[in-house]
Amino acid sequence: MRPARDRGSRGGGDRGGDRGGRGGGGRGGGYDGRGRGDGGGGFAPRGRGDGGRGGRGGGRGGAGGSIEFYSLPDKSVPIPNTQVTKTEDETLKKPAATAPTKATKTLPDISQLSLKTKFPPRPAYGTRGTPITLWANYFQMIPNGDVKLYRYAIDTVPAATGKRKQRRLVELLIEETPLSALKAQIATDYGTTLICQREIPDSDLEHGIVYKDEREDTPGPRATSHRIKLQQTGIFTVAELVSYLTSTRVDAAFPNKDEVIQALNIVVGHHPKSATSTMSVANKHYPVQGQSSEYANLGAGLIAWRGYFVSVRAAAARVLVNVQVKHAAAYQDGTLVELMQTYKAADRNTTLLQLERFLKRVRIETTHLPIKKNKAGMAIPRIKVINSLATKSDGQGLPHPPRVESFGAFPDKVEFYLDSTPSHPETSAPASTPKGGKKGGKKSGQQGTQPGPASGVSGKYISVAEFFRNRYNLKVNPQLPVVNVGNKANPSYLPADVCVVLPGQPADAKLTPDQTANMITFAVRNPKANATSIVGRGLASLGLDPQNTTLANFGIAVSKNMITVPGRILLGPEVKYRGTKSAKTSFGSWNMNQIQFTKGSNIGPWSIMKINMEGFRTPLDDAGFFSQTKINFRKALADNGVIAPPPTEIPDLALPRGSNYDAIIDDRLSKIPKMLPNVKFLLIVLPKADTGLYNRIKYCGDVSYGLHTVCVVGSKFGKLRLNRQTGQNEPDLQYFANVALKFNLKKGGVNQSLDKSKLGIVGEGSTMVVGIDVTHPSPGSASNAPSIASMVASTDGQLGQWPAVLRIQAARQEQVSDLDDLLVSRLKLWHVKNHKYPDNILVYRDGVSEGQYNMVIKDELPLLQKACKDNYPADAQKRGFPKISIIVVGKRHHTRFYPTSEEPGKIDTRSFNPVNGTIVDRGVTEARNWDFFLQAHTALQGTARPAHYYIVHDEIFAKAAVRPPFLNAADVLEDLTHNMCYMFGRATKAVSICPPAYYADLVCTRARCYLSRIFDATPAASTIGGGGDDPQQNEVRIHPDLADTMFYI
């Protein structure tokens, strides 16, 4: 058995883009290192992907199979900063102060005291493994010692309607008020905060501003007036931050650290945010013009832009700037006609609802009016925003509502009432002119230069097509829908022919499978290319090389070369199977030739059901071939140690074209418990990879009828491979073996194991390992989509089985509301299996951002403690049990490491990434925090993304006795976490994040299948009302027959 693929080990390589397009791609978020799927054979919906790429660099060329790695032009490798290493070491040597010295004797600062005990201090740095030096995508910041940052909150009254208008108001504040004298000393996020290099006089803290668009000399007749008040909210000295980071006192505290970092981020981000040639999304910046711009066509009206994430980070003894390649999907610029046609041509089944959702909030420039110029001779664009397509219910409160034949009607089928004496010129077709002489459209749609309506067509209804033919001598496309650039109450219509889509507009939706594939093709490059782009185009587009004037004026410099950091390569454990057999690992993967699962399961009565669909044929349609394939698969199960009797025959299930697939599947699966009450396991052969079929099967099996289901695609399950030795076609035993992995786990088996010594305190059998994750609504979800929390937990020290439980909770809430109830269910199951409660509970918490670490301690830890207090015997609690440690698992960070050498064993010679087992806990971390980066897996493509482990609470490791061969608690935890990555039961390879976090994430993904009506909602549900009834807990409540199993595999 060759290594079972885990489709990129989820986090394996950088790929994808920041946002999506229409359809059913992965979740939203950044494309930068995730790539997961069902792995190990069978069918499951494709997962997520993330990515990045690069530009100039060193190393040897890629031709002829030579090794490629990033290097400086002179091939030198700077040694990691020795002062940083010295500070790290000395910080851990010095104990926390027990009393203030005379020089510092003051009343205690409550905020400092709370910071000291908030998270456990780093007990030591890891020592195990082969030492290596790595590049890291960080650049050292060098601030002048006397740099002061004056922070001001921006208060706009009345508040701006939207971020774009607020940005423009802040621009006017800086450019056209007395504050302009300080423009060179100001940085801003163009939203809520302004940073100045000197204190702003009181006389300049409040200004009246009349809004005007860019390039306008004077405000328009309906321009809004605002007052912007600046309120000082802090004065920060960068030297204080540097002093804190270079201090070797472990109990030193700097309460303003996060605020200073935030202020520095605004200063660093000001240049790219201010550049008109850059598309900025938070702290990700995409050059869309000039030499630094790079893009690719994704199809269906979207393009992918390559850009760069930038963030200021605190580290031991220095301040760093983190830069990472990012990719984002954006709308194809050009004519709206072309965009509509390209979108529709990509899928002939495209509906008008899908088109409307795709175009919503797209900014366009109108072209049908004469060009208006400012005093400098520059054209003033007329910008509008698409609200919707024309709808029958538009403008129903107007005196003369428009007449729209149907939703998305064409120009000749949309009529509006044209008054005989309009009081203003028009730029678009107004729905009506209300009483008082004001048009019902948006104010921005009421300005223009054209005269009134042509004679002979006033005071009556007129179609959009006729209006533009009479007024502007334009013959519009009769087969494209009219867009509404007003709003539903006061619509204002334009034909696509007079609209040009502006460049650099992020597309906030999901990518289709084809678009995802194109994004991956564009985004996935080897580490050298990534690093080269960062140092070249990345620094240039961010204004770091050459340095922009904003940084210079603030007295801040940034180094031009990436830093190097010390790392170590941990040796992988020996993976054990049945009896005394073990597998030899290579590049973090292994095979199972002549080896059986550690603990095989007995499937019991089971069946194979083939689904047939008109227009899709597979080799299994031949009855004789299908029969032989069943025999071959059953033999493969036995070869891997799974006992399976001959499957019970079930008739094929036909899905006629156009039929209600859900109802047919539900009907068939509902009959199995009645007709075949002993059958609890189904292998379902699909005619094709179909997400809708898969989702319904999983809901029926997991929730409704208590049937284990494994889905395979007929063309893969029946595939034959040529045996080069015999010259005969044989079954695809690799595929069969991958499916066998799932069979065994679902039925309570253990696929692989490690020696108890490799699992430390967990292997002793008294520690329950827990994984927690929360999934949130993604682009394309219905408006009533919830968040879903999941928990998995081990049942013994072997770590072979991880039953799960899940709950629906409020949308976009990361805190797990019912965490105590979830843990109680896992504790009771542990008690059933072990006849006692665990002494230790080790939690790996997935999906939490740095800003939410406090939430885990403040809100979630008390719920875990409550569950224990309510269930543990009093004597155990008196003895201090259970001990709880919580480790946050970070996947969405932007830290990457690159090899500095082609020396064997220090670079993956296939992907040119660091080798699996690479760990870094120095150089880019803070000495006082306990965290580390671990790349346990081998990335198949792109740039490997290590997992980030941050210990937010510890009662288990730091105070426990350390046994040889370990030297300290950091060694113990790092080794345990690394070894657990070899225990993911769905693949014969080490995975990128430890299994408890991975499994919890899979449970969340499965829950999204159950609620696909909401998470994969129709465009109508997403934009109009929701995905039907609000979701209920019983829709994700697992059937009692499967509740204590790994149903989600």
Side-chain angles (χ1 to χ4, degrees):
M1 174 177 173
R2 296 189 301 275
R5 292 185 60 193
D6 181 40
R7 288 194 189 163
S9 271
R10 195 186 101 166
D14 287 349
R15 56 198 226 171
D18 266 340
R19 294 175 182 255
R22 106 197 129 141
R27 290 189 217 172
Y31 268 85
D32 177 47
R34 311 189 295 284
R36 74 155 194 240
D38 197 55
F43 165 74
R46 297 297 292 268
R48 305 184 291 201
D50 268 16
R53 247 176 124 159
R56 110 195 158 206
R60 290 164 57 181
S66 58
I67 296 174
E68 296 185 24
F69 66 100
Y70 174 80
S71 68
L72 296 175
D74 62 2
K75 310 301 181 184
S76 64
V77 179
I79 62 172
N81 190 304
T82 55
Q83 184 59 46
V84 171
T85 303
K86 181 180 178 181
T87 300
E88 291 170 336
D89 291 339
E90 291 184 354
T91 300
L92 299 191
K93 288 179 182 177
K94 294 185 177 181
T98 56
T101 63
K102 289 183 178 180
T104 61
K105 199 167 191 177
T106 60
L107 289 174
D109 184 329
I110 294 177
S111 64
Q112 292 194 23
L113 291 175
S114 65
L115 281 172
K116 278 191 260 184
T117 57
K118 185 164 53 174
F119 301 128
R122 186 186 299 275
Y125 286 99
T127 63
R128 291 174 62 80
T130 303
I132 54 171
T133 297
L134 300 163
W135 295 108
N137 60 338
Y138 287 79
F139 302 82
Q140 184 165 348
M141 176 179 283
I142 309 165
N144 288 343
D146 59 351
V147 172
K148 280 193 174 183
L149 305 175
Y150 294 83
R151 186 182 66 188
Y152 296 86
I154 302 173
D155 182 31
T156 305
V157 180
T161 55
K163 293 181 180 179
R164 190 172 296 277
K165 186 170 184 178
Q166 174 67 11
R167 174 191 174 90
R168 179 59 183 154
L169 288 171
V170 175
E171 287 177 347
L172 293 171
L173 171 72
I174 297 172
E175 295 171 358
E176 300 196 3
T177 70
L179 210 59
S180 61
L182 299 175
K183 182 178 179 179
Q185 299 172 310
I186 286 176
T188 179
D189 60 4
Y190 291 102
T192 61
T193 308
L194 182 146
I195 307 294
C196 193
Q197 202 249 334
R198 52 164 287 188
E199 190 164 18
I200 299 175
D202 290 346
S203 58
D204 285 338
L205 292 179
E206 186 170 353
H207 298 276
I209 296 177
V210 181
Y211 182 86
K212 66 176 181 178
D213 286 328
E214 191 176 354
R215 296 190 184 179
E216 283 187 333
D217 295 316
T218 58
R222 292 176 178 78
T224 54
S225 296
H226 303 263
R227 292 206 68 77
I228 294 185
K229 183 177 181 180
L230 301 178
Q231 181 176 357
Q232 190 177 103
T233 57
I235 303 174
F236 308 114
T237 303
V238 178
E240 291 179 336
L241 172 64
V242 175
S243 176
Y244 164 73
L245 295 175
T246 54
S247 169
T248 57
R249 281 184 51 198
V250 70
D251 61 341
F254 182 43
N256 294 331
K257 185 189 81 171
D258 291 343
E259 293 178 283
V260 177
I261 293 295
Q262 180 200 41
L264 288 172
N265 268 310
I266 291 174
V267 174
V268 170
H270 179 78
H271 174 81
K273 277 183 180 289
S274 301
T276 57
S277 60
T278 299
M279 177 179 77
S280 292
V281 182
N283 51 1
K284 296 180 284 289
H285 310 283
Y286 306 88
V288 295
Q289 297 175 17
Q291 294 183 343
S292 294
S293 64
E294 297 177 272
Y295 71 94
N297 184 16
L298 297 181
L302 295 183
I303 56 177
W305 289 105
R306 182 170 293 132
Y308 302 90
F309 165 91
V310 62
S311 176
V312 178
R313 310 282 299 176
R318 58 187 170 183
V319 181
L320 300 175
V321 179
N322 180 206
V323 180
Q324 168 61 359
V325 180
K326 299 294 291 184
H327 296 85
Y331 289 99
Q332 163 190 308
D333 56 307
T335 67
L336 182 58
V337 169
E338 184 179 17
L339 180 63
M340 284 184 173
Q341 291 175 338
T342 302
Y343 180 79
K344 292 171 66 176
D347 183 355
R348 58 187 178 87
N349 296 317
T350 296
T351 66
L352 288 170
L353 280 170
Q354 289 174 316
L355 179 62
E356 180 186 64
R357 178 178 159 206
F358 177 70
L359 296 176
K360 193 173 183 65
R361 292 187 294 275
V362 170
R363 301 176 70 241
I364 56 96
E365 179 180 352
T366 61
T367 61
H368 59 292
L369 296 175
I371 297 175
K372 183 180 179 181
K373 296 184 178 181
N374 59 19
K375 294 177 181 178
M378 302 174 67
I380 302 174
R382 295 180 173 87
I383 309 299
K384 300 190 181 300
V385 179
I386 297 175
N387 178 274
S388 63
L389 301 185
T391 306
K392 294 186 71 172
S393 58
D394 285 346
Q396 292 304 299
L398 298 174
H400 300 284
R403 297 172 179 173
V404 180
E405 184 178 86
S406 59
F407 171 70
F410 298 150
D412 62 334
K413 303 300 181 182
V414 177
E415 296 182 344
F416 62 93
Y417 190 82
L418 191 62
D419 206 336
S420 58
T421 55
S423 61
H424 61 274
E426 301 289 346
T427 60
S428 56
S432 174
T433 304
K435 294 179 181 178
K438 292 184 180 180
K439 182 189 127 189
K442 287 184 177 180
K443 289 180 180 177
S444 61
Q446 296 172 352
Q447 300 168 15
T449 60
Q450 288 299 294
S455 61
V457 294
S458 60
K460 67 174 185 178
Y461 278 93
I462 184 174
S463 72
V464 171
E466 186 179 359
F467 175 81
F468 277 85
R469 182 171 60 249
N470 293 344
R471 177 69 65 89
Y472 305 110
N473 196 29
L474 289 175
K475 184 178 181 181
V476 300
N477 191 315
Q479 298 299 315
L480 290 176
V482 168
V483 295
N484 178 6
V485 295
N487 55 45
K488 192 172 186 62
N490 297 306
S492 188
Y493 299 123
L494 286 172
D497 311 70
V498 300
C499 304
V500 173
V501 179
L502 299 176
Q505 297 186 67
D508 188 11
K510 291 194 299 185
L511 295 177
T512 66
D514 286 343
Q515 289 171 332
T516 299
N518 291 335
M519 176 68 85
I520 290 172
T521 299
F522 175 57
V524 174
R525 298 185 298 175
N526 68 40
K528 175 189 172 184
N530 244 349
T532 304
S533 273
I534 289 170
V535 175
R537 288 175 169 169
L539 294 187
S541 63
L542 296 172
L544 301 179
D545 184 19
Q547 179 175 282
N548 67 77
T549 56
T550 299
L551 289 180
N553 291 336
F554 273 85
I556 294 173
V558 177
S559 65
K560 305 301 185 289
N561 293 322
M562 291 192 296
I563 65 170
T564 57
V565 297
R568 292 167 285 119
I569 302 174
L570 301 181
L571 186 65
E574 184 180 47
V575 182
K576 293 183 172 295
Y577 285 89
R578 180 172 293 183
T580 60
K581 292 190 175 182
S582 60
K584 183 179 180 180
T585 61
S586 176
F587 292 102
S589 63
W590 60 95
N591 63 53
M592 286 180 59
N593 289 333
Q594 308 301 315
I595 293 175
Q596 293 187 335
F597 298 135
T598 297
K599 176 187 173 184
S601 61
N602 189 332
I603 299 301
W606 68 296
S607 186
I608 299 178
M609 183 178 79
K610 185 162 73 75
I611 296 178
N612 299 321
M613 187 183 295
E614 185 180 347
F616 294 91
R617 295 188 59 80
T618 74
L620 302 180
D621 291 335
D622 181 286
F625 183 77
F626 188 22
S627 179
Q628 184 59 49
T629 301
K630 294 177 187 178
I631 296 172
N632 294 337
F633 176 65
R634 185 166 162 252
K635 181 179 183 301
L637 289 175
D639 289 344
N640 285 282
V642 176
I643 300 173
T648 302
E649 294 296 327
I650 292 181
D652 291 355
L653 178 64
L655 297 179
R657 189 186 298 274
S659 60
N660 186 336
Y661 295 170
D662 285 0
I664 296 174
I665 291 170
D666 197 293
D667 178 70
R668 170 60 69 87
L669 295 188
S670 70
K671 293 176 179 177
I672 290 177
K674 302 172 185 176
M675 297 188 304
L676 304 169
N678 293 327
V679 171
K680 295 295 182 182
F681 205 113
L682 288 178
L683 176 65
I684 298 179
V685 182
L686 304 177
K688 61 172 183 171
D690 188 294
T691 301
L693 290 179
Y694 180 88
N695 290 345
R696 193 60 188 176
I697 288 167
K698 292 303 176 183
Y699 179 79
C700 291
D702 296 352
V703 177
S704 298
Y705 308 119
L707 299 169
H708 279 301
T709 57
V710 172
C711 296
V712 296
V713 177
S715 59
K716 295 181 179 180
F717 192 65
K719 186 177 182 179
L720 298 177
R721 288 185 177 273
L722 177 66
N723 185 323
R724 296 185 182 277
Q725 294 180 339
T726 65
Q728 301 294 316
N729 286 324
E730 297 178 350
D732 188 347
L733 297 182
Q734 171 65 40
Y735 189 86
F736 285 173
N738 289 344
V739 178
L741 292 169
K742 298 182 181 182
F743 267 59
N744 199 44
L745 290 177
K746 285 177 179 287
K747 290 298 290 185
V750 177
N751 286 353
Q752 69 255 35
S753 59
L754 302 180
D755 188 274
K756 288 185 178 180
S757 64
K758 295 299 181 181
L759 293 176
I761 194 171
V762 174
E764 296 172 4
S766 60
T767 299
M768 183 172 76
V769 186
V770 175
I772 302 171
D773 192 19
V774 179
T775 185
H776 302 289
S778 55
S781 297
S783 58
N784 59 340
S787 289
I788 302 174
S790 70
M791 176 183 285
V792 302
S794 59
T795 59
D796 54 35
Q798 204 170 18
L799 299 186
Q801 281 289 305
W802 300 80
V805 63
L806 47 90
R807 290 284 191 279
I808 288 174
Q809 61 183 40
R812 308 197 182 283
Q813 175 183 306
E814 183 61 39
Q815 177 196 339
V816 181
S817 300
D818 298 327
L819 192 57
D820 50 345
D821 292 340
L822 298 182
L823 183 60
V824 167
S825 71
R826 300 307 91 195
L827 288 172
K828 289 182 176 179
L829 183 59
W830 177 280
H831 196 280
V832 169
K833 302 283 186 181
N834 300 278
H835 310 293
K836 63 175 184 176
Y837 288 116
D839 292 342
N840 307 300
I841 300 175
L842 174 57
V843 178
Y844 285 88
R845 177 64 162 94
D846 193 13
V848 175
S849 66
E850 290 181 352
Q852 297 170 319
Y853 289 174
N854 280 326
M855 176 273 294
V856 174
I857 300 305
K858 176 177 174 290
D859 300 320
E860 294 189 342
L861 175 60
L863 293 176
L864 296 175
Q865 293 170 329
K866 178 179 182 298
C868 297
K869 182 178 180 181
D870 293 345
N871 287 272
Y872 274 70
D875 64 318
Q877 295 187 47
K878 287 181 180 179
R879 289 184 286 119
F881 295 119
K883 293 181 171 64
I884 299 174
S885 290
I886 304 175
I887 303 171
V888 172
V889 184
K891 308 184 298 290
R892 297 179 182 88
H893 61 83
H894 302 277
T895 298
R896 301 292 183 272
F897 301 110
Y898 308 96
T900 60
S901 169
E902 61 181 340
E903 184 179 340
K906 295 186 177 181
I907 186 172
D908 184 333
T909 55
R910 301 175 300 177
S911 69
F912 312 134
N913 278 291
V915 299
N916 62 289
T918 295
I919 191 166
V920 176
D921 59 2
R922 290 178 177 266
V924 292
T925 60
E926 288 190 63
R928 299 176 187 85
N929 302 332
W930 189 2
D931 65 330
F932 57 91
F933 293 90
L934 171 63
Q935 182 204 318
H937 67 296
T938 295
L940 300 180
Q941 58 181 345
T943 300
R945 175 167 55 178
H948 182 218
Y949 297 91
Y950 193 108
I951 294 79
V952 296
H953 183 75
D954 175 55
E955 300 170 4
I956 299 174
F957 297 99
K959 296 181 180 180
V962 178
R963 304 171 188 171
F966 304 111
L967 299 181
N968 56 56
D971 283 339
V972 173
L973 180 57
E974 290 174 0
D975 189 74
L976 171 61
T977 302
H978 175 236
N979 290 342
M980 277 200 294
C981 291
Y982 285 74
M983 284 298 296
F984 183 68
R986 205 179 65 180
T988 54
K989 63 189 296 183
V991 290
S992 61
I993 62 172
C994 59
Y998 202 149
Y999 285 137
D1001 191 275
L1002 291 181
V1003 177
C1004 285
T1005 300
R1006 178 58 57 84
R1008 296 174 74 93
C1009 296
Y1010 306 152
L1011 296 176
S1012 59
R1013 67 180 179 86
I1014 289 175
F1015 283 103
D1016 296 319
T1018 64
S1022 302
T1023 60
I1024 298 175
D1029 295 336
D1030 288 341
Q1032 303 298 316
Q1033 291 291 355
N1034 61 11
E1035 293 184 77
V1036 299
R1037 186 171 293 121
I1038 305 305
H1039 193 280
D1041 291 350
L1042 305 187
D1044 294 334
T1045 71
M1046 295 180 72
F1047 61 88
Y1048 54 89
I1049 290 296

